[in-house]
Amino acid sequence: MNGMAYGRDMEVVQRLKPEPMTAEESAAQEKIDAVEFEIFSHKMNMIAQEGKETTMKLGASSGMRWGDVAFGIYTAQGDLAVVATGIWFHAVLGQIPVKYIVKHWLNEPSVGVKDGDSFFWNDPFYGGVHGADMGLVAPVFHKGKLVCFVGAIVHTGECGGTDPGGMSNNARSKYDEGLLVPPLKVGENYALKEDILNMFGAMTRDPRTMILDIKARLAASRIAQRRILELIDQKGLEFFIGALRRILIVTAEAARKKVRLLNDGTFRQPRFMDTVGANDRLVKVNVTLKKKGDKITLNFEDTTPMIPDKPINTFFQGIIGLCMVYFCGWFFHDLPANNGLLEILDWEFPDNAIVNAKGDAPTSLSPFTQCIFAHGMFLAGARMTYNLDPSRAVAAWFQGFGVPIFGGMNQWGEPIADITPEINATGAGARPDIDGVNGAGSWFATMSDCSDVETTELDRPFLYTYRNYFQNSYGHGKYRGGLGVGFGLMVHHVPWVALGSFGFGSKFPATMGIFGGYAVPPVFVQVVRGSNFKALLSEGRSNLVNLDEMYAPGNPEQGHRELHHISLTIQPYMNGDTFYVPVGGGAGYGDPLERDPAMVIADLREQRTNAWAARNIYHVAYDQKTLRLDSEKTEVLREEARAKRKERAKPYEEFEAEWRQLRPPEEVLQHYGTYPHPSEGLQAGPPGM
């Protein structure tokens, strides 16, 4: 391996910024016409888009079918130049495995990189996230010369870990997390190696989905390869190589120019998460953005120490990938998405922190910690960018997951293990001039879809009892967040299935509001074992059609009812048992007392809010029968509410002194580090449970 000891390559994961320009790339720059470059960029984006759509149409997992896909075109050195996706972190992190291939396999006699090859990986050390996120790339050669790589990265629902579904609350080390493959050649001569596919199938619970997803990635790569070779035949190899590099140059220059427009300053946002594995525990990710000139520096001092035997640790490269969700989707929304954007970013990670995993620490739930960071990025970023463009300083989408995860046999006798697609049905955050979008998608995969229930039911052992918007699932504010989805599943067609859920935000809100807007309410799971729901269906009982009615007095469903944290360890559920999950809405923007009362009335008419919220949060007076607004009384109620706020006011020093006397229970602080500042030392006590 080019003299490298067997094990992790600590150097290649640092190479997230563009590689130095080659002499060949440099020589081509003067010959690139501006108009031809624009046409080229458009064609390359269309090639990537075709690759993305092909991947989605051919795959089998929920993530692949419903948009958890990034299809990239990389330079011959491994830099991401063009991508089609809404899931930006896969896009930028995909370059690490490609650069690994270039570094280790290109000139390795026993492996090599040749026309017709294909390479697979899912090791989160190189992929940046967790083992369920898997990628495949193929090199593109023109007349024997390597010109680029193409490939797709997608969340496949099963990787053979301790728990089914690709994530494990119970992982104690990376050896509990299943398949962990560094970049590996899986195909030669335009064919996949059946012995390797057979091995992958034997190591996972759902071999059908695993193999179909690999083949989908490869099929899309071959289409992109053909399109690129056609383009090279038309425009010439020199133009192609130079123009692909030009995309990175132009992007980096534009990014630096935009960052220079921001005010210099330091922007801080501590974020807290209430889940460690399946336990209610508090951890802290302290996000600091330091902007100076054309650079933004990420700093994570005062973050909870790494937890060696709990799976919420993340590799630092995953944090950088999640940073790109904010940059590509919000701040640099008008620029191409590629790793040229990272020219403006520097980072500083503590050695001992959950955001900088080391050794054999488990990382299968790393998306939790990454999402907490990303939410801090949204909050700090909104304040950092407000002076430049207030319209882009928005509240965050829901970022606490809240999704069932399952494994077992489906109604056709096939092994299955995956998540349900409702992860892509969260509400968007409120904006400075309008409410958030209902059921917008997933904040990290903004082009994703949540399927229709009939398609999910077709090969999953569930019957949806209902799926619709969940009232008051958003953060209130002058503009409220979009509603999230509430849904119920009943185990159907099969004797039993292993079922659980993952996420955070059952105690401490997963998603905070901005500029006075409210946080998204806590989310949790309800299950009913031995439910009489089938009998209710046969009787035509129709008053169980949403989560609001589930929790209303007079709910006719009977059985053994249980309430659980949203992070619920997988366990068996029997035929007829029901499982209810809320997916959070978006956060609120601005003071709720400034919301137009007519908008509150409209929400009441559409059953997007209720009388309690109208009375106690928005302080709106109206006739409860006709929903006719009483404007004068509303103004009186709001003035009274403002007066009560003033009565509660106190000097900051007094507030801080009182606040410092408060402390969470010691059990909750088990993994936190020294409270309130983890950087001051480690919390004394027994090791993680």
Side-chain angles (χ1 to χ4, degrees), residues 558-580:
Q558 298 177 0
H560 180 67
R561 194 177 306 275
E562 302 171 357
L563 298 178
H564 293 283
H565 193 289
I566 197 68
S567 194
L568 173 62
T569 298
I570 288 183
Q571 50 197 281
Y573 288 86
M574 310 308 291
N575 187 292
D577 291 348
T578 52
F579 196 92
Y580 300 99

Side-chain angles (χ1 to χ4, degrees), residues 482-494:
L483 284 85
V485 161
F487 65 103
L489 301 173
M490 180 174 68
V491 180
H492 193 46
H493 294 306
V494 296

Side-chain angles (χ1 to χ4, degrees), residues 390-397 428-438 475-482 514 586-590 594-596 599 603 608:
S391 69
R392 309 300 298 187
V394 300
W397 297 31
R431 291 158 285 178
D433 57 352
I434 195 171
D435 292 340
V437 176
N438 302 327
H476 300 281
K478 178 179 181 180
Y479 296 103
R480 61 161 176 80
I514 190 73
Y589 183 105
E594 296 180 3
R595 184 166 179 80
D596 185 343
M599 297 175 73
D603 282 342
R608 293 170 178 167

Side-chain angles (χ1 to χ4, degrees), residues 18 247-257 338 340-341 343-344:
I247 293 175
L248 294 168
I249 295 171
V250 170
T251 302
E253 290 176 350
R256 284 192 288 264
K257 180 179 180 180
N338 57 62
L341 296 175
E343 291 281 23
I344 60 93

Side-chain angles (χ1 to χ4, degrees), residues 66-288:
W66 308 116
D68 195 343
V69 178
F71 190 91
I73 302 172
Y74 305 84
T75 69
Q77 295 172 277
D79 290 313
L80 175 74
V82 180
V83 67
T85 184
I87 185 160
W88 309 110
F89 62 88
H90 280 335
V92 72
L93 292 172
Q95 65 181 310
I96 298 176
V98 180
K99 290 180 178 180
Y100 181 101
I101 293 166
V102 172
K103 178 179 178 179
H104 294 293
W105 303 143
L106 187 61
N107 298 311
E108 168 57 50
S110 67
V111 183
V113 178
K114 299 180 287 294
D115 193 14
D117 287 350
S118 51
F119 295 83
F120 171 90
W121 72 87
N122 85 312
D123 186 337
F125 183 73
Y126 301 107
V129 189
H130 60 164
D133 291 320
M134 306 180 185
L136 181 144
V137 294
V140 178
F141 285 83
H142 181 264
K143 296 181 179 180
K145 180 180 177 59
L146 176 64
V147 296
C148 66
F149 290 84
V150 294
I153 309 172
V154 191
H155 178 103
T156 288
E158 165 61 17
C159 59
T162 301
D163 296 327
M167 284 170 276
S168 174
N169 279 322
N170 300 306
R172 301 292 297 272
S173 76
K174 73 174 188 178
Y175 305 108
D176 294 322
E177 296 180 322
L179 195 69
L180 298 175
V181 182
L184 170 75
K185 184 183 287 191
V186 296
E188 290 181 320
N189 299 319
Y190 289 89
L192 290 167
K193 296 181 177 182
E194 289 298 329
D195 56 343
I196 292 180
L197 296 185
N198 189 49
M199 179 184 69
F200 287 168
M203 297 174 72
T204 58
R205 295 177 179 83
D206 189 349
R208 176 185 66 110
T209 297
M210 176 79 178
I211 304 309
L212 283 175
D213 278 8
I214 289 175
K215 291 181 175 180
R217 295 181 185 96
L218 180 58
S221 298
R222 294 302 178 211
I223 290 175
Q225 176 186 13
R226 186 166 67 248
R227 299 282 187 257
I228 287 171
L229 292 176
E230 291 171 353
L231 182 58
I232 292 174
D233 288 339
Q234 294 171 6
K235 303 302 297 182
L237 180 59
E238 183 182 25
F239 174 85
F240 177 86
I241 292 174
L244 201 60
R245 165 60 71 164
R246 174 70 67 87
I247 293 175
L248 294 168
I249 295 171
V250 170
T251 302
E253 290 176 350
R256 284 192 288 264
K257 180 179 180 180
K258 189 164 187 178
V259 170
R260 281 194 292 268
L261 297 175
L262 298 172
N263 290 332
D264 288 351
T266 300
F267 306 86
R268 296 183 176 90
Q269 184 63 56
R271 288 296 295 119
F272 301 91
M273 182 167 62
D274 62 0
T275 300
V276 174
N279 299 322
D280 294 331
R281 300 291 188 269
L282 192 69
V283 298
K284 177 183 180 183
V285 175
N286 201 45
V287 182
T288 301

Side-chain angles (χ1 to χ4, degrees), residues 628-643:
R628 179 173 294 176
L629 175 67
D630 186 333
S631 299
E632 292 184 1
K633 189 173 181 180
T634 294
E635 188 56 38
V636 171
L637 292 176
R638 289 186 167 184
E639 283 302 318
E640 291 175 353
R642 293 186 180 99

